[in-house]
Amino acid sequence: MSGAVEVRNKNVDILRGIAMLMVILGHTMTGYTENSQDTLLFNIIWTLQMPLFILISGYVTKYSRG
């Protein structure tokens, strides 16, 4: 270890948490709600969850390779 203190970007952690909650909500809706795929909320979650994870992963990968 070099002894350097790394500062976490809390905004990235917040976005990651939101993405996780979106995945959980989407899976829960699919399992417990009839015709959940026809709802606006499900379609918003389905549209945003994976691109958000990819965006976060790209950001973290770029800045973690100091």
Side-chain angles (χ1 to χ4, degrees), residues 28-49:
T28 303
M29 287 178 67
T30 302
Y32 291 101
T33 307
E34 287 188 36
N35 300 321
S36 63
Q37 292 86 356
D38 298 331
T39 65
L40 178 63
L41 179 60
F42 182 84
N43 287 318
I44 290 170
I45 290 170
W46 184 256
T47 301
L48 294 177
Q49 66 185 358

Side-chain angles (χ1 to χ4, degrees), residues 15-25 53:
L15 280 175
R16 187 181 299 165
I18 290 170
M20 288 180 205
L21 290 173
M22 288 171 59
V23 170
I24 292 168
L25 181 59
F53 270 120

